[in-house]
Amino acid sequence: MEEKNFSQEKRVLKISKSLSVWLTTVAVIVLILLLALTINRAREKEMVQQFGQLQQAIAEGTAARIEDLIDNVGRSLVMLSSMPGLEAVDSGASGQCMKNTYDYLNGGVDFIAWLDGDGKLMNGYPDVVVRDLIGKRIVDAEFIDRVNRQHQPWIYDTILENKKIDRVQAGKGTRFVILGVPAPEMKGRSQFLNVAAVSIPEIAKRYVEPAKGIESSSLLMVEKGGTILLHSNNAFLGADVDVLEDPERDREEASLRRALREGRKGYGEYLLKREGGATERHIVAYAPIRVGQSTWSIAIATPYRTVISQVRKTFIHIMVGAIALIMAVIVAGLSIAHTGQRRLRLEEELKRLRERNEWQEKLIREKRTVEGVIEGTPIPTFVIDRNHRIIFWNKACTDLTGYEGREMIGTDGQYLPFYPEKRPVLADLIIDRDSEGLQRYYGKKRVQKSSIIEGAYEAAAYFENLNGRGRHLYFLAAPMFDEKGEIIAAIETLQDVSREEEMDQNLREYAETLRKELIENINLRKEVESLYSYLQSILDSSPDQLFDLNADGTVNFMSRDLQRGRGLVSQQIKGKHILEFIAPEHRPYVMEKWNNVLKGIYAPFEVEATAKDGTKRNLLVTPRPIQDTDRYILVQRDITEFKTLEDKYYESQKLAAIGQLSAGIAHEIRNPLSSIKMSLQILEKRMQPEANDLKRFKIAQREVEHLEQLVNDVLIYAKPAEPKCETSDLRRILEHVLAMTEMKLLDKYIEVQTRFDDRMPLLTVDAAMLEQAFLNLCLNAIEAMEPGGRLSISTVYHNNETKQALVEIEDNGCGIDEADMPHIFNPFFTTKKYGTGLGMTPVKKIVELHQGAIDIVSKKGEGTRVVVILPAEAENEGDREIPGLGS
């Protein structure tokens, strides 16, 4: 029984021991798997980072080459526009210049062409490409305006359909980048452009496809608005870049579309669609491309699985080997546990050796991959280690320097191609972190930190004898770090920029020559414009209008447009017949006169025209032939004012005759009126009538006085006397006038306000004439006021250069209607029931005889203010001569 229990306990102990061993084994396996997964994940991240940086460098290099292509095309177009011998767009010299430029660009563009002012293609090269585009408009007016206004290359992108150049799909057209520059004037063309077109597929073929590298990688080119210009899958062309990303992604995550639209550079992981519509993680490296005034982006997308496939294969191999080894160890441990710990240690050591060998193989493969990339790049590149020994020297570097890689690798002679004696190059100084050495050796070579790669420096220098010729080189050196962040190597790239430097120098010299010529042309143009403006101002300032006509009567030139002062004749008027500017009712008359001109009869003739405002204008037209031509000039003069003055002269003659007749009649009537007035007064005293008889006597006397006043006004108007000037006091004249109107003022209870300037000097005037004038003004004011009105009389003396005396007479009566204001000084014009219409006319004549002026300001219902201005110069006593009236 005890033996059985012991056996059971032994069995349980054995089972427990086995279970402990198995649990320990499983735990170890799980830990190993977790550790392997962690290491694999870290290695994948490192691989993705290295691959992304490499792809970013490739993308940036591709973008830089595309920008160089566009800049080179722009410079070539500028040189083409300035080539001598371009007399016409369609000339042989023009075609040869375009062919030379096309050959110089070595197929970098699809075609070169001349465009007219409307954007239509006039001529181009190669002929087989542009033949179907002749006469078609390939750019818009905004592009033409910008090129001519900015006077510098301008970028335009468009889609053209041409079976000779379609590279995408039949009928859908090809996207082109069109670069335009302003061109000088040529015969037959007033304005045109010089353009070159580069298709997007051609850019992809020359620059983008070589950068693809991995077969499964896809390339895309996106404009600033997000439209896909280039994609390995033609189905995505023209779509928005958003169609490539997963629509279900979190909007807060980084967007590839945002990065490309904002022109960023870098790389990242994104979920992109495949051809079947499924999404897959990709490593996308992108860089901006400056295309004229816009910014596009180029991107290289590689599936994440492709990037880390080698790492995962290695991981699977390691895991399979590790699992197999673990199983072998377990089986061996169970079968030969008695062999002890020594065998176990040997197995573990063997496992570590295998893992190390696999890691070494992986590193060797990665090194070969990187070396292959560097060796295949067209940019001269070499790499040195931390001991300043060359570890890589690619073929492009050999072609540039003439030193073979087998001679240089393993040595520290990286200076040999450039300097006669040993000295550090840019990569050596970066290895040593020697900032002072950078300034000492490269300070004069424009050394500066790179804005693209962290820790990198760039410089430029000229070498007189580099592989047998002088060259301008651009250096870019960057450090290479290990996982601890320490520099283990440095890579340096070299670019031969001699051609760009020579072109820049040529362009600077050419620009200076153009600047001098431009200054001369500007000065010459200013002189021509000044002379032209002067001649034009003479024509525009002339009151006459000139027409230049052909023999058939069509207008070639008109000195002023239809609206006065608008300058030269517009294109809408040029070429029209002269009869189109003549009223229909006058056309037969003008045509008759024009036929006389064609017969050699150049007699002036008059035409009546109707202006736009409806007024009638009288025009005098004088025709003359232009010497040595079959054209004629018509001088049109507006004689409306002369006609008006002529009519007024004849009218004044009539009025003068009527005035003389009226003066004679008035003189003959005055004596009988005096006898009648005297007889009425005598009869009234003798008969002493009463009631109705007295009333009739008063009516007769009033009518006689009215007739007498009318006769006096007619005599003053018709035959004014010459003023007898003597020194007089203006205040006494006005006070005498008030005394003569005292009865009328009292009858209407009118308040009189006077304000006389004490500084007023004595005036040399005819006191009687002025009393008559001021009396008429006061009587008019009294008649215009209701009872209880107010009459204001004031004088002001202006002791300035003119020395004037002002007399103001103001009332608060009924005022004058605005429509009557222009006629108040006209003879026989009156609004009174018993007025003669000759009260204000002699007032104005008396003031003018005293070399003065009169002004009336009035508003209906508010009163009237009359201002009389008289000269206040003191003169010697005696007669004085009134200009224009006496000797």
Side-chain angles (χ1 to χ4, degrees):
M1 187 69 179
E2 293 178 356
E3 185 176 356
K4 184 177 180 180
N5 291 336
F6 177 77
S7 177
Q8 291 178 349
E9 291 178 357
K10 187 175 181 181
R11 188 181 299 110
V12 171
L13 181 62
K14 184 177 181 181
I15 293 173
S16 300
K17 186 175 181 180
S18 299
L19 183 60
S20 301
V21 171
W22 279 108
L23 290 176
T24 303
T25 303
V26 171
V28 169
I29 292 174
V30 171
L31 291 176
I32 291 175
L33 290 176
L34 292 176
L35 179 62
L37 289 173
T38 303
I39 295 174
N40 178 69
R41 181 58 181 169
R43 186 56 187 151
E44 285 183 4
K45 288 185 177 180
E46 182 179 358
M47 176 63 75
V48 168
Q49 181 180 5
Q50 293 179 358
F51 184 81
Q53 292 176 349
L54 179 60
Q55 293 295 85
Q56 179 186 347
I58 294 174
E60 292 175 358
T62 303
R65 289 192 295 275
I66 294 175
E67 292 177 356
D68 291 342
L69 170 65
I70 294 176
D71 293 340
N72 191 22
V73 172
R75 290 190 292 267
S76 299
L77 289 180
V78 173
M79 296 177 64
L80 174 60
S81 299
S82 61
M83 287 183 178
L86 301 181
E87 299 179 355
V89 174
D90 51 358
S91 67
S94 174
Q96 184 63 38
C97 290
M98 287 190 290
K99 180 180 183 301
N100 294 340
T101 304
Y102 181 85
D103 295 338
Y104 170 76
L105 294 174
N106 195 23
V109 298
D110 289 74
F111 65 88
I112 298 175
W114 300 104
L115 305 184
D116 64 6
D118 295 328
K120 294 181 181 179
L121 193 146
M122 305 303 296
N123 193 8
Y125 184 87
D127 180 66
V128 70
V129 176
V130 302
R131 183 181 302 155
D132 294 337
L133 298 176
I134 296 296
K136 293 183 178 181
R137 183 172 182 173
I138 65 174
V139 297
D140 57 21
E142 181 180 359
F143 173 72
I144 298 172
D145 180 66
R146 284 185 174 177
V147 171
N148 288 304
R149 187 174 67 252
Q150 298 292 334
H151 292 281
Q152 62 182 2
W154 202 270
I155 300 297
Y156 180 81
D157 64 282
T158 186
I159 296 178
L160 301 177
E161 293 185 8
N162 190 310
K163 62 184 180 180
K164 299 296 182 180
I165 55 179
D166 269 359
R167 298 181 175 88
V168 182
Q169 295 180 6
K172 289 190 177 182
T174 301
R175 192 88 180 215
F176 280 81
V177 175
I178 296 182
L179 186 69
V181 298
E185 296 186 358
M186 294 186 178
K187 293 181 179 179
R189 299 291 185 272
S190 62
Q191 182 181 12
F192 60 91
L193 303 179
N194 183 6
V195 301
V198 185
S199 64
I200 300 298
E202 183 64 22
I203 294 176
K205 179 180 178 182
R206 292 173 63 93
Y207 299 98
V208 182
E209 291 295 339
K212 185 175 179 181
I214 300 176
E215 183 64 25
S216 59
S217 296
S218 59
L219 299 170
L220 65 152
M221 187 182 297
V222 180
E223 68 175 5
K224 187 173 183 180
T227 302
I228 299 176
L229 304 177
L230 176 68
H231 196 279
S232 301
N233 185 358
N234 292 337
F236 292 121
L237 292 180
D240 194 272
V241 73
D242 259 345
V243 303
L244 300 177
E245 298 190 79
D246 183 9
E248 302 297 329
R249 75 180 190 278
D250 186 0
R251 294 299 177 180
E252 297 298 323
E253 296 179 355
S255 169
L256 177 61
R257 183 177 186 272
R258 184 187 307 167
L260 297 181
R261 288 190 65 182
E262 294 177 357
R264 301 179 187 172
K265 61 182 178 180
Y267 66 92
E269 298 180 18
Y270 301 92
L271 289 176
L272 304 181
K273 289 183 180 180
R274 295 184 299 180
E275 293 184 0
T279 59
E280 182 179 4
R281 186 191 302 181
H282 284 71
I283 307 300
V284 183
Y286 43 85
I289 305 176
R290 179 179 56 81
V291 182
Q293 294 69 40
S294 181
T295 301
W296 295 356
S297 295
I298 184 173
I300 305 175
T302 307
Y304 186 90
R305 53 182 171 79
T306 303
V307 177
I308 63 171
S309 60
Q310 192 64 35
V311 176
R312 286 188 174 177
K313 288 180 182 179
T314 303
F315 172 73
I316 292 173
H317 293 162
I318 293 175
M319 291 304 299
V320 171
I323 292 172
L325 182 58
I326 292 172
M327 296 301 295
V329 170
I330 294 174
V331 172
L334 293 175
S335 62
I336 58 174
H338 60 278
T339 60
Q341 296 296 325
R342 183 178 177 186
R343 182 69 177 270
L344 182 59
R345 288 196 297 270
L346 291 175
E347 291 291 340
E348 291 177 352
E349 183 67 24
L350 179 61
K351 182 181 68 172
R352 287 195 295 270
L353 289 175
R354 288 176 179 174
E355 291 178 351
R356 185 178 65 183
N357 290 336
E358 290 175 355
W359 278 102
Q360 288 178 349
E361 290 177 1
K362 181 171 69 89
L363 291 175
I364 291 172
R365 287 195 297 271
E366 292 179 353
K367 178 182 178 184
R368 290 175 179 174
T369 301
V370 174
E371 289 178 350
V373 172
I374 298 177
E375 179 66 26
T377 181
I379 300 175
T381 307
F382 67 88
V383 182
I384 62 174
D385 59 16
R386 67 178 63 186
N387 296 320
H388 303 279
R389 298 279 180 178
I390 300 174
I391 59 176
F392 192 79
W393 188 278
N394 71 352
K395 185 177 182 302
C397 198
T398 299
D399 295 339
L400 176 67
T401 63
Y403 286 77
E404 296 288 342
R406 61 177 178 271
E407 301 174 0
M408 304 298 291
I409 294 177
T411 70
D412 59 353
Q414 52 267 23
Y415 68 91
L416 290 174
F418 313 106
Y419 307 106
E421 56 186 19
K422 187 173 183 180
R423 52 155 287 179
V425 298
L426 201 58
D428 292 319
L429 299 173
I430 290 179
I431 287 286
D432 296 336
R433 299 180 184 269
D434 188 359
S435 58
E436 294 181 358
L438 287 171
Q439 294 298 325
R440 183 167 63 254
Y441 292 105
Y442 289 93
K444 297 181 179 180
K445 299 177 181 179
R446 295 176 290 175
V447 65
Q448 60 181 359
K449 283 188 176 182
S450 174
S451 59
I452 302 175
I453 304 174
E454 183 178 0
Y457 284 85
E458 56 187 27
Y462 174 74
F463 298 92
E464 294 184 357
N465 186 13
L466 182 61
N467 196 14
R469 55 170 290 190
R471 299 175 188 267
H472 290 271
L473 294 185
Y474 165 76
F475 308 93
L476 176 63
M480 302 175 70
F481 301 94
D482 59 9
E483 65 277 3
K484 297 180 181 180
E486 297 181 357
I487 297 177
I488 59 173
I491 182 172
E492 184 169 343
T493 61
L494 312 170
Q495 294 187 40
D496 187 354
V497 294
S498 302
R499 189 173 185 179
E500 288 78 2
E501 289 290 336
E502 292 175 1
M503 292 184 67
D504 288 344
Q505 180 63 28
N506 293 336
L507 285 176
R508 285 192 293 270
E509 294 175 356
Y510 182 68
E512 180 63 22
T513 302
L514 286 180
R515 187 185 68 83
K516 294 179 179 178
E517 293 179 356
L518 180 61
I519 292 174
E520 294 178 359
N521 291 336
I522 290 174
N523 294 333
L524 179 60
R525 181 174 180 177
K526 287 181 179 179
E527 294 177 1
V528 173
E529 288 179 349
S530 176
L531 178 59
Y532 176 82
S533 299
Y534 176 71
L535 295 177
Q536 185 62 35
S537 64
I538 292 176
L539 292 177
D540 291 341
S541 300
S542 173
D544 300 333
Q545 192 168 13
L546 277 68
F547 292 86
D548 177 11
L549 305 179
N550 290 326
D552 58 359
T554 56
V555 178
N556 293 318
F557 172 81
M558 186 168 67
S559 62
R560 294 193 305 275
D561 210 330
L562 290 178
Q563 297 181 4
R564 183 177 295 273
R566 287 188 53 189
L568 288 178
V569 62
S570 64
Q571 293 298 324
Q572 296 179 349
I573 296 176
K574 186 175 182 180
K576 290 188 176 182
H577 199 276
I578 188 65
L579 291 181
E580 296 185 32
F581 304 99
I582 306 299
E585 61 271 17
H586 299 300
R587 289 179 182 176
Y589 172 74
V590 174
M591 195 63 194
E592 179 185 353
K593 295 299 182 180
W594 178 249
N595 291 332
N596 291 338
V597 170
L598 297 179
K599 295 176 183 178
I601 303 173
Y602 307 118
F605 58 91
E606 295 183 11
V607 178
E608 186 180 79
T610 302
K612 290 185 177 180
D613 58 359
T615 59
K616 298 292 185 178
R617 312 298 296 178
N618 297 98
L619 305 178
L620 177 64
V621 180
T622 304
R624 285 292 184 274
I626 300 177
Q627 292 184 357
D628 302 327
T629 67
D630 60 346
R631 291 154 65 174
Y632 299 87
I633 185 171
L634 296 184
V635 181
Q636 174 184 292
R637 174 170 295 181
D638 188 344
I639 60 173
T640 304
E641 296 179 0
F642 294 102
K643 284 287 187 180
T644 303
L645 291 175
E646 184 179 22
D647 294 340
K648 288 183 178 180
Y649 173 76
Y650 291 140
E651 186 67 23
S652 65
Q653 293 295 320
K654 293 178 182 178
L655 291 176
I658 293 173
Q660 291 177 358
L661 177 61
S662 299
I665 295 173
H667 184 72
E668 293 297 329
I669 293 175
R670 175 186 284 181
N671 293 332
L673 282 176
S674 299
S675 299
I676 294 172
K677 182 177 180 181
M678 185 179 298
S679 298
L680 286 173
Q681 291 174 354
I682 294 171
L683 287 174
E684 182 182 2
K685 289 180 181 181
R686 287 182 180 180
M687 298 177 65
Q688 296 182 352
E690 296 179 355
N692 289 334
D693 293 335
L694 179 59
K695 184 178 179 180
R696 289 186 181 92
F697 266 98
K698 294 298 182 183
I699 292 173
Q701 289 178 357
R702 186 171 63 249
E703 292 300 328
V704 170
E705 291 175 355
H706 176 69
L707 289 174
E708 189 177 25
Q709 181 64 36
L710 176 61
V711 170
N712 290 333
D713 291 341
V714 169
L715 289 175
I716 293 174
Y717 168 72
K719 191 176 181 182
E722 185 177 338
K724 298 177 180 180
C725 298
E726 59 184 10
T727 303
S728 303
D729 187 350
L730 184 59
R731 178 171 181 172
R732 290 187 178 181
I733 294 174
L734 293 172
E735 288 176 345
H736 189 227
V737 169
L738 290 175
M740 287 189 290
T741 58
E742 182 177 2
M743 292 303 297
K744 293 184 179 291
L745 293 172
L746 293 175
D747 290 342
K748 301 186 75 172
Y749 303 101
I750 293 176
E751 177 188 357
V752 178
Q753 297 178 352
T754 59
R755 187 175 63 255
F756 300 120
D757 193 340
D758 295 335
R759 300 175 302 154
M760 183 69 67
L762 296 177
L763 305 182
T764 304
V765 296
D766 188 326
M769 279 190 172
L770 288 184
E771 284 182 3
Q772 182 65 42
F774 291 138
L775 178 61
N776 287 359
L777 294 176
C778 289
L779 291 176
N780 285 341
I782 293 170
E783 292 175 359
M785 289 187 289
E786 296 293 333
R790 185 183 67 255
L791 177 65
S792 298
I793 300 177
S794 62
T795 61
V796 179
Y797 174 60
H798 289 305
N799 188 14
N800 48 24
E801 294 180 357
T802 56
K803 297 186 183 305
Q804 294 176 337
L806 274 67
V807 179
E808 294 187 4
I809 300 175
E810 184 174 3
D811 65 74
N812 59 351
C814 61
I816 304 174
D817 193 282
E818 184 178 357
D820 296 333
M821 288 294 291
H823 310 293
I824 57 178
F825 291 114
N826 292 347
F828 307 110
F829 174 79
T830 181
T831 59
K832 302 175 185 178
K833 187 174 181 180
Y834 294 102
T836 63
L838 293 174
M840 294 300 295
T841 304
V843 171
K844 183 178 181 183
K845 188 162 298 278
I846 290 171
V847 173
E848 290 177 348
L849 288 174
H850 286 80
Q851 298 181 348
I854 184 171
D855 184 31
I856 299 179
V857 179
S858 182
K859 191 171 184 181
K860 187 70 173 178
E862 296 184 4
T864 304
R865 182 168 62 92
V866 181
V867 180
V868 177
I869 304 173
L870 298 172
E873 288 283 354
E875 298 185 4
N876 295 329
E877 294 186 359
D879 296 339
R880 63 171 183 168
E881 182 179 350
I882 304 300
L885 295 178
S887 56

